[in-house]
Amino acid sequence: MSSEKELKQRSNNQCELCGATDNLSVYDVPNAKVMVIYACHTCIEQMEDSEKIEANHWRCLNDSMWSEHEAVKIMAWRMLNRVNQSWAEDMLGMMYMEDDTLELAKAAGDGEVDENQIIHRDVNGVVLDTGDSVVLIKDLKVKGSSMVAKQGTAVRNIRLDRNNSEYIEGKVGLTLTVIVTKYVKKL
């Protein structure tokens, strides 16, 4: 186990995941022998509570996933799996880890496919994420109004229905509307 002094030196006194320089402390990597990283309060809070994960914060892993330290790679891999964004999947596809390091990373259960997970897909089968932008592929009547959302209308910053993979929500004009995924294409 590394001492805090060694971790400060190894990390240049910054978070080994996001590079922050405030509120740093030693973090024991769960289910990974006796490994530690030097991390900021923000990263630790989100690593310990998946409800608090802010996806954009973890874009920093684009740099730290290439660390020479196994503990940093393990936590980068785990957080990329937890973020559940298409850019994170791309980063995971680029990431290289030795087989034994990958096994340690998987020890926390991240990266396993949940058979009950609801996945939203557009008309072409592309996975949709919260915050994505889509375009309507046909004219749609908006229920409860006389409005018709025209083909080609962009719907930005969509939200996913947690209970049904066929529904998303987004603003068409000024109206928040439920849209069927088979009538949209991801931008």
Side-chain angles (χ1 to χ4, degrees), residues 29-168:
V29 178
N31 303 345
K33 298 183 207 170
V34 185
M35 293 187 173
V36 293
I37 62 172
Y38 207 45
C40 68
H41 174 73
T42 304
C43 286
I44 291 173
E45 182 178 53
Q46 293 183 42
M47 288 186 290
E48 291 179 344
D49 186 355
S50 61
E51 294 293 317
K52 295 183 178 180
I53 291 177
E54 295 174 26
N56 283 331
H57 173 77
W58 295 103
R59 288 183 182 268
C60 61
L61 297 177
N62 192 39
D63 294 327
S64 55
M65 70 183 203
W66 302 108
S67 173
E68 63 189 58
H69 305 288
E70 279 187 338
V72 177
K73 284 183 183 180
I74 288 169
M75 286 313 302
W77 187 91
R78 288 179 181 177
M79 292 313 298
L80 286 171
N81 275 286
R82 293 176 193 171
V83 167
N84 193 25
Q85 297 284 319
S86 58
W87 56 262
E89 290 175 28
D90 294 341
M91 288 168 58
L92 277 167
M94 293 186 297
M95 194 171 182
Y96 174 77
M97 295 169 56
E98 296 291 335
D99 290 340
D100 55 335
T101 305
L102 182 58
E103 288 305 312
L104 288 172
K106 289 181 178 180
D110 296 303
E112 294 178 5
V113 177
D114 180 4
E115 295 170 7
N116 298 322
Q117 181 181 9
I118 295 176
I119 298 173
H120 295 75
R121 296 183 186 276
D122 73 359
V123 69
N124 296 324
V126 176
V127 175
L128 299 171
D129 295 316
T130 298
D132 283 346
S133 295
V134 296
V135 64
L136 301 179
I137 62 166
K138 71 177 263 183
D139 291 352
L140 299 174
K141 174 143 177 35
V142 178
K143 285 187 179 178
S145 78
S146 60
M147 184 175 138
V148 175
K150 296 289 186 184
Q151 177 180 348
T153 301
V155 181
R156 307 206 184 285
N157 198 23
I158 63 168
R159 288 184 279 177
L160 308 178
D161 184 309
R162 293 181 183 223
N163 301 317
N164 190 330
S165 64
E166 294 185 19
Y167 297 131
I168 60 172

